[in-house]
Amino acid sequence: MKKYNYDIVVIGGGPAGLAAALEAKKNGVEKILICERSARLGGILEQCIHNGFGLTYFKEELTGPEYATRFIKAVEKTDIAIKRGTMVIDVTQDKVITAENGEDGLFEVQAKAIILAMGCRERTRESITIPGDRPAGVMTAGTAQRYVNINGYLPGKEIVILGSGDIGLIMARRMTLEGCNVKGVLELMPYSTGLMRNKVQCLDDFGIPLYLSHTITKIHGKERLSAVSIAEVDDHKQPVPGTEITVPCDTLLLSVGLIPENELSQKAGVAFDPVTKGPLADEKRCTSVPGIFACGNVLHVHDLVDNVSEEAQNAGRSAACYIKNQLTRRTQSIAVKAGNNIGYVVPQQIDFEPGKDKVVKLYMRVKHPAQKVAMTIANDQGNILASFKREVVAPGSMETLALPVKMIAGNPEFLKISVTN
Amino acid sequence: METDVLIIGGGVIGSCIARQLCRYHLDITLVEKQSDVCMGTSKANSSMVHDGYNIDGHKLKGRLCLEANTMYEKMCRELNVDYRPATGSIFAGFTEDHLAIMKQQLENSKTNGLSGLYIANHDQMMALEPNISREVQYGLVNPNTGTINPFDLTMALAENAVMNGVKVFLETEVTNIHTRKGKIESVETNIGRFKPKVIINAAGLYSDKIAGMVEKVDGYIHPRKGSYFLYDKKWGDHVKHCIYSPPTPVSKGMIMVPTTEGNILAGSNAVEVNDREDFATVGAEMDEIYSHTIHRLFPKMPRMGEVITAFAGLRAASNTEDFIIGHAKTVPAMINLIGIQSPGLSSAPAIARMAEELVRETGEDLDFSERPDYNPNRPAPVILRNMDPETRSALIQKNPDYGSIVCRCETISKGEILDAIRRPIPARNLDAIKRRTRAGMGRCQGGFCGPRVVGILEEELGITPLNITKRGGRSNILLDKTKDLSLLEGGANSEKIQL
């Protein structure tokens, strides 16, 4: 078996992995390897041919492939090693990676630091247990997006979409543009779970109805999907008797959530946040295993790739500092807790002295939509260190708060983020 | 087409009979109406191999199950099928009533000539099953309950039969059987007419319909549906043995099985249905399976999130609730196997041996001398995840397709998928590849590998993706084209002018 040595191994060549590797290179790391399981770099952006990417990072509006290409070109100008078509099979706490591809066979890499950037996967029909038949024609929105945008095939013509996640909304428009009839988007929650702009641009502008508090109660069709039964749900998400109707269709697309893809992180022994389903991470995006970093959708599901790039740069920079021994741990970590109407916060703790950093960026999602609120950061004494006004907050839009590091100079035991009216 | 023996049905029984007979100088044809073998009752069952401890040994199914248990290890060794004879089962009990059932079953096991069973107390149960509900008081432990992947077994039997000359026709449905004065004349199918000397009706859910094509029959099938949950491999270690839940006044006992693949299978209920094609799961029934068995036995296992799939199967229950195996009354050369439900998988080798006796009894002109070239062994397919690193690496060096991972969740390579398409019974659709290789059987349920597998099928079989199906028939994955692009990863022609 071949054996290699690298300073940093980045697992995943999507937007997170590319930005992390580039930033580590900019910070003087010599030997960097990106392992990408697909034949091409860029990750899921390759199939996201719609626009809306890069508004904050590049200050211009790009498509997914354009956004990815900027990073791919930048990486290809460096001496960062890239192994495409390479599946990482194992990662150990000692930072030994086992991977395979057609060229090297099975091989091992000893790394000084590892950056986990494997992204996420879509929840399936069975992860939300829709009963009924099991015909062809039921697939995730992302799989349909690949068939349409990369392969040039249509999964069907008469479409129903379950879930108002961003991919579902994007695919409602995409299928319409391909000449399909998108009959409607159903959402279990009483609010849209995707970005507001996607709801407006992909549904409203194309006259596609969004039915909130609705779900699919049965799938019909022995061979190919023939219909779905849909019903309104009550406050407990249970179908309301008498509201069920059956809608003929040949395709059901699911956009019912994304799950960070952490099977490798588990093998590496990192600790997890049960809410994000990603590793616990600190402000440097270091996991509970020193020298193993995580960024992007493997850590928590982002709405905007711009935020992924920013987070990945942080992880890449931190990994570079780690191998150069430039990170100084605080005498005591500061826990970051989710308070009123906050689902989760990343990072979950602050471990290091700030160094040159002026602010700590905190990413979070609210549990329920709310209007005209203040998002507050309080210390362990209950004193509010910072407060940020928001006109609207919703679970579908990640919020970012920048906490000046001078506010935590007193080393509070914990910080608590809350939404207050 | 003339043939000595025509077997109708490519389930575990038909396939096992094909393999049983292929050692002789017989021309054997097996027809299966579905797009693959093992598509009916054989596919969706508990995956347990019962030793027959709790069965009535005087019934035909009891006798055959007890007989077959002694044949299983040799058969699976020859076929290179992963059979785990010592997984063990435990009937978990909460009350004195359950204890009373256990004592009866323990006595029954002795009557059936079996040994090794014992009744465990609460502390022993907690040691055997650390994650089981602390309310469990007793357990009837049977160390001799086995587990197997029923598809692997059926596939291996059918492949071995093909290796030994059996002709298998898929998507071939028997539409009528013509007889004259008690003799078989011909069998009509959608692909043409067969002229067999002997017919073996192993048509499972449709065995009564096939039998009814030659005469009026007393036996009939009343399908009984059972549904299952399949849990993510993360939970594979949570349940150590096959666990029977005790019956309640409204529900029969169900089981939780640690499968040979490392998942947990939990089910199944029993609901009489009229439609022999009704494989739909029903929300309320799934809720009941969860609360009655899964949650009651293993409270930490969640209802949602960790379940990677749920499915239903139909038991081919007969009116007598026993196996009905024998010659057709008026056509001795027709052999019917009706009502093969549980423990049909466990009884398969004994049923096949009995079928051979019945074929010999027909008195037809058949050559039962053994073929000198009969090979009982089926080579194991290449399964990379089971290989040590050096062997795996060497194999990839020889064939880079084995290093190209297509299914991420189960780590299945392009090479393994190509093998599945090229095996003696070729996979020609997504589910056929899934059952042979596990590609698409993991937690993303084919979301990622689906388009890639369609691309490989397109390339290997030379058919348009529009004709590629999920499981044959009209289960097409794609209904139209958008533009002329490519399914092959990295295969789109994006070559640019280089200056």
Side-chain angles (χ1 to χ4, degrees), chain B residues 155-187:
Chain B
M155 192 69 219
L157 288 163
E159 283 188 348
N160 188 234
V162 171
M163 285 169 54
N164 287 297
V166 174
K167 295 181 282 289
V168 173
F169 292 89
L170 299 175
E171 294 183 313
T172 302
E173 182 172 2
V174 172
T175 49
N176 206 353
I177 299 172
H178 300 285
T179 59
R180 198 179 143 91
K181 293 184 181 161
K183 294 288 254 181
I184 296 163
E185 289 219 309
S186 68
V187 176

Short mmCIF file of all heavy atoms in Angstrom, two decimals, chain B residues 155-187:
data_model
loop_
_atom_site.label_atom_id
_atom_site.label_comp_id
_atom_site.label_asym_id
_atom_site.label_seq_id
_atom_site.Cartn_x
_atom_site.Cartn_y
_atom_site.Cartn_z
N MET B 155 -30.05 -15.56 -5.26
CA MET B 155 -29.19 -15.22 -6.40
C MET B 155 -28.13 -16.30 -6.61
O MET B 155 -27.88 -16.74 -7.74
CB MET B 155 -28.52 -13.87 -6.07
CG MET B 155 -27.83 -13.23 -7.20
SD MET B 155 -29.07 -12.70 -8.37
CE MET B 155 -28.20 -13.10 -9.84
N ALA B 156 -27.51 -16.71 -5.50
CA ALA B 156 -26.44 -17.71 -5.60
C ALA B 156 -26.98 -19.04 -6.12
O ALA B 156 -26.36 -19.69 -6.95
CB ALA B 156 -25.79 -17.89 -4.23
N LEU B 157 -28.15 -19.42 -5.63
CA LEU B 157 -28.77 -20.67 -6.10
C LEU B 157 -29.04 -20.59 -7.60
O LEU B 157 -28.71 -21.51 -8.36
CB LEU B 157 -30.09 -20.91 -5.36
CG LEU B 157 -30.00 -21.33 -3.89
CD1 LEU B 157 -31.34 -21.11 -3.19
CD2 LEU B 157 -29.55 -22.78 -3.77
N ALA B 158 -29.61 -19.46 -8.03
CA ALA B 158 -29.96 -19.31 -9.44
C ALA B 158 -28.70 -19.22 -10.30
O ALA B 158 -28.64 -19.80 -11.39
CB ALA B 158 -30.84 -18.07 -9.63
N GLU B 159 -27.70 -18.49 -9.81
CA GLU B 159 -26.46 -18.38 -10.58
C GLU B 159 -25.78 -19.74 -10.72
O GLU B 159 -25.28 -20.10 -11.79
CB GLU B 159 -25.49 -17.41 -9.89
CG GLU B 159 -25.84 -15.95 -10.08
CD GLU B 159 -24.76 -15.00 -9.57
OE1 GLU B 159 -23.84 -15.44 -8.86
OE2 GLU B 159 -24.86 -13.81 -9.89
N ASN B 160 -25.77 -20.50 -9.63
CA ASN B 160 -25.15 -21.82 -9.68
C ASN B 160 -25.91 -22.73 -10.64
O ASN B 160 -25.31 -23.53 -11.39
CB ASN B 160 -25.09 -22.41 -8.27
CG ASN B 160 -24.29 -23.70 -8.21
OD1 ASN B 160 -24.77 -24.72 -7.74
ND2 ASN B 160 -23.06 -23.68 -8.70
N ALA B 161 -27.23 -22.57 -10.66
CA ALA B 161 -28.03 -23.35 -11.60
C ALA B 161 -27.66 -22.98 -13.04
O ALA B 161 -27.48 -23.86 -13.90
CB ALA B 161 -29.52 -23.11 -11.34
N VAL B 162 -27.52 -21.67 -13.30
CA VAL B 162 -27.16 -21.23 -14.65
C VAL B 162 -25.77 -21.77 -15.03
O VAL B 162 -25.55 -22.24 -16.15
CB VAL B 162 -27.20 -19.68 -14.76
CG1 VAL B 162 -26.61 -19.20 -16.09
CG2 VAL B 162 -28.64 -19.19 -14.61
N MET B 163 -24.83 -21.72 -14.06
CA MET B 163 -23.49 -22.26 -14.31
C MET B 163 -23.56 -23.73 -14.74
O MET B 163 -22.71 -24.21 -15.47
CB MET B 163 -22.64 -22.19 -13.03
CG MET B 163 -22.14 -20.81 -12.66
SD MET B 163 -21.44 -20.85 -10.97
CE MET B 163 -20.25 -22.19 -11.13
N ASN B 164 -24.59 -24.43 -14.23
CA ASN B 164 -24.73 -25.86 -14.53
C ASN B 164 -25.78 -26.12 -15.61
O ASN B 164 -26.37 -27.19 -15.67
CB ASN B 164 -25.06 -26.62 -13.25
CG ASN B 164 -23.85 -26.74 -12.34
OD1 ASN B 164 -22.83 -27.34 -12.71
ND2 ASN B 164 -23.92 -26.12 -11.17
N GLY B 165 -26.02 -25.11 -16.43
CA GLY B 165 -26.80 -25.36 -17.65
C GLY B 165 -28.26 -24.98 -17.61
O GLY B 165 -28.96 -25.10 -18.63
N VAL B 166 -28.77 -24.54 -16.47
CA VAL B 166 -30.18 -24.15 -16.42
C VAL B 166 -30.37 -22.85 -17.20
O VAL B 166 -29.57 -21.93 -17.11
CB VAL B 166 -30.64 -23.97 -14.94
CG1 VAL B 166 -32.06 -23.41 -14.89
CG2 VAL B 166 -30.55 -25.29 -14.19
N LYS B 167 -31.45 -22.81 -17.99
CA LYS B 167 -31.75 -21.59 -18.74
C LYS B 167 -32.75 -20.77 -17.93
O LYS B 167 -33.78 -21.29 -17.50
CB LYS B 167 -32.34 -21.94 -20.11
CG LYS B 167 -31.34 -22.68 -21.01
CD LYS B 167 -31.92 -22.99 -22.37
CE LYS B 167 -32.85 -24.19 -22.34
NZ LYS B 167 -32.19 -25.50 -22.15
N VAL B 168 -32.42 -19.50 -17.70
CA VAL B 168 -33.32 -18.63 -16.94
C VAL B 168 -33.86 -17.55 -17.86
O VAL B 168 -33.10 -16.85 -18.52
CB VAL B 168 -32.58 -17.99 -15.74
CG1 VAL B 168 -33.47 -16.96 -15.05
CG2 VAL B 168 -32.15 -19.06 -14.74
N PHE B 169 -35.18 -17.44 -17.92
CA PHE B 169 -35.82 -16.37 -18.69
C PHE B 169 -36.52 -15.42 -17.73
O PHE B 169 -37.46 -15.82 -17.03
CB PHE B 169 -36.85 -16.95 -19.67
CG PHE B 169 -36.24 -17.76 -20.78
CD1 PHE B 169 -36.02 -19.13 -20.62
CD2 PHE B 169 -35.88 -17.16 -21.97
CE1 PHE B 169 -35.46 -19.89 -21.63
CE2 PHE B 169 -35.32 -17.91 -23.00
CZ PHE B 169 -35.10 -19.28 -22.83
N LEU B 170 -36.05 -14.17 -17.70
CA LEU B 170 -36.70 -13.17 -16.86
C LEU B 170 -37.79 -12.47 -17.67
O LEU B 170 -37.84 -12.59 -18.89
CB LEU B 170 -35.67 -12.14 -16.36
CG LEU B 170 -34.53 -12.72 -15.51
CD1 LEU B 170 -33.51 -11.63 -15.19
CD2 LEU B 170 -35.05 -13.36 -14.23
N GLU B 171 -38.64 -11.73 -16.98
CA GLU B 171 -39.76 -11.01 -17.61
C GLU B 171 -40.53 -11.95 -18.54
O GLU B 171 -40.93 -11.59 -19.64
CB GLU B 171 -39.26 -9.75 -18.35
CG GLU B 171 -38.69 -8.74 -17.35
CD GLU B 171 -38.22 -7.43 -17.95
OE1 GLU B 171 -37.50 -7.47 -18.95
OE2 GLU B 171 -38.55 -6.37 -17.39
N THR B 172 -40.70 -13.17 -18.06
CA THR B 172 -41.40 -14.20 -18.83
C THR B 172 -42.56 -14.73 -17.98
O THR B 172 -42.35 -15.39 -16.96
CB THR B 172 -40.43 -15.34 -19.21
OG1 THR B 172 -39.35 -14.76 -19.95
CG2 THR B 172 -41.12 -16.41 -20.02
N GLU B 173 -43.75 -14.40 -18.39
CA GLU B 173 -44.92 -14.70 -17.58
C GLU B 173 -45.74 -15.82 -18.22
O GLU B 173 -46.05 -15.75 -19.41
CB GLU B 173 -45.78 -13.43 -17.44
CG GLU B 173 -47.00 -13.64 -16.57
CD GLU B 173 -47.75 -12.35 -16.28
OE1 GLU B 173 -47.32 -11.29 -16.79
OE2 GLU B 173 -48.75 -12.42 -15.56
N VAL B 174 -46.05 -16.81 -17.42
CA VAL B 174 -46.88 -17.91 -17.92
C VAL B 174 -48.32 -17.42 -18.02
O VAL B 174 -48.87 -16.90 -17.05
CB VAL B 174 -46.78 -19.13 -16.99
CG1 VAL B 174 -47.79 -20.21 -17.39
CG2 VAL B 174 -45.36 -19.69 -17.02
N THR B 175 -48.90 -17.57 -19.20
CA THR B 175 -50.26 -17.06 -19.39
C THR B 175 -51.28 -18.20 -19.49
O THR B 175 -52.46 -18.00 -19.24
CB THR B 175 -50.35 -16.21 -20.67
OG1 THR B 175 -49.74 -16.93 -21.74
CG2 THR B 175 -49.61 -14.88 -20.47
N ASN B 176 -50.81 -19.41 -19.87
CA ASN B 176 -51.73 -20.54 -19.93
C ASN B 176 -50.94 -21.85 -20.00
O ASN B 176 -49.78 -21.86 -20.43
CB ASN B 176 -52.65 -20.43 -21.15
CG ASN B 176 -53.97 -21.15 -20.93
OD1 ASN B 176 -54.14 -21.84 -19.91
ND2 ASN B 176 -54.89 -21.00 -21.85
N ILE B 177 -51.59 -22.92 -19.56
CA ILE B 177 -50.97 -24.25 -19.67
C ILE B 177 -51.97 -25.17 -20.37
O ILE B 177 -53.14 -25.24 -19.96
CB ILE B 177 -50.61 -24.81 -18.27
CG1 ILE B 177 -49.62 -23.88 -17.57
CG2 ILE B 177 -50.04 -26.23 -18.39
CD1 ILE B 177 -49.35 -24.24 -16.12
N HIS B 178 -51.49 -25.81 -21.41
CA HIS B 178 -52.37 -26.72 -22.17
C HIS B 178 -52.04 -28.16 -21.81
O HIS B 178 -50.89 -28.57 -21.86
CB HIS B 178 -52.20 -26.50 -23.67
CG HIS B 178 -52.53 -25.11 -24.09
ND1 HIS B 178 -53.83 -24.65 -24.19
CD2 HIS B 178 -51.74 -24.05 -24.41
CE1 HIS B 178 -53.83 -23.39 -24.57
NE2 HIS B 178 -52.57 -23.00 -24.70
N THR B 179 -53.09 -28.93 -21.45
CA THR B 179 -52.89 -30.35 -21.17
C THR B 179 -53.89 -31.15 -22.00
O THR B 179 -54.90 -30.61 -22.49
CB THR B 179 -53.13 -30.66 -19.67
OG1 THR B 179 -54.46 -30.28 -19.33
CG2 THR B 179 -52.15 -29.91 -18.79
N ARG B 180 -53.61 -32.46 -22.13
CA ARG B 180 -54.50 -33.32 -22.90
C ARG B 180 -54.41 -34.71 -22.28
O ARG B 180 -53.33 -35.26 -22.13
CB ARG B 180 -54.00 -33.37 -24.34
CG ARG B 180 -55.00 -33.85 -25.36
CD ARG B 180 -54.31 -33.78 -26.73
NE ARG B 180 -54.73 -34.90 -27.54
CZ ARG B 180 -55.78 -34.86 -28.37
NH1 ARG B 180 -56.47 -33.75 -28.49
NH2 ARG B 180 -56.11 -35.92 -29.08
N LYS B 181 -55.52 -35.16 -21.82
CA LYS B 181 -55.62 -36.48 -21.19
C LYS B 181 -54.56 -36.64 -20.08
O LYS B 181 -53.82 -37.63 -20.03
CB LYS B 181 -55.45 -37.59 -22.23
CG LYS B 181 -56.62 -37.61 -23.21
CD LYS B 181 -56.48 -38.76 -24.16
CE LYS B 181 -57.64 -38.75 -25.16
NZ LYS B 181 -57.36 -39.53 -26.34
N GLY B 182 -54.47 -35.65 -19.25
CA GLY B 182 -53.56 -35.76 -18.11
C GLY B 182 -52.10 -35.58 -18.44
O GLY B 182 -51.24 -35.83 -17.60
N LYS B 183 -51.80 -35.21 -19.70
CA LYS B 183 -50.40 -34.98 -20.08
C LYS B 183 -50.21 -33.51 -20.43
O LYS B 183 -51.11 -32.86 -20.96
CB LYS B 183 -50.03 -35.81 -21.33
CG LYS B 183 -50.06 -37.33 -21.10
CD LYS B 183 -48.91 -37.79 -20.26
CE LYS B 183 -47.86 -38.52 -21.08
NZ LYS B 183 -46.74 -38.98 -20.20
N ILE B 184 -49.00 -33.00 -20.14
CA ILE B 184 -48.71 -31.61 -20.47
C ILE B 184 -48.46 -31.49 -21.97
O ILE B 184 -47.68 -32.27 -22.53
CB ILE B 184 -47.47 -31.12 -19.71
CG1 ILE B 184 -47.75 -31.14 -18.21
CG2 ILE B 184 -47.06 -29.73 -20.17
CD1 ILE B 184 -46.51 -31.07 -17.36
N GLU B 185 -49.12 -30.54 -22.61
CA GLU B 185 -48.84 -30.28 -24.03
C GLU B 185 -47.91 -29.09 -24.19
O GLU B 185 -46.87 -29.20 -24.82
CB GLU B 185 -50.14 -30.05 -24.78
CG GLU B 185 -50.95 -31.31 -24.92
CD GLU B 185 -51.60 -31.40 -26.28
OE1 GLU B 185 -52.25 -30.42 -26.66
OE2 GLU B 185 -51.47 -32.44 -26.95
N SER B 186 -48.31 -27.95 -23.63
CA SER B 186 -47.46 -26.78 -23.78
C SER B 186 -47.80 -25.73 -22.73
O SER B 186 -48.86 -25.77 -22.12
CB SER B 186 -47.60 -26.17 -25.17
OG SER B 186 -48.89 -25.61 -25.30
N VAL B 187 -46.84 -24.84 -22.58
CA VAL B 187 -47.01 -23.73 -21.64
C VAL B 187 -46.84 -22.44 -22.43
O VAL B 187 -45.83 -22.23 -23.09
CB VAL B 187 -45.95 -23.81 -20.51
CG1 VAL B 187 -46.07 -22.60 -19.58
CG2 VAL B 187 -46.09 -25.11 -19.72
#
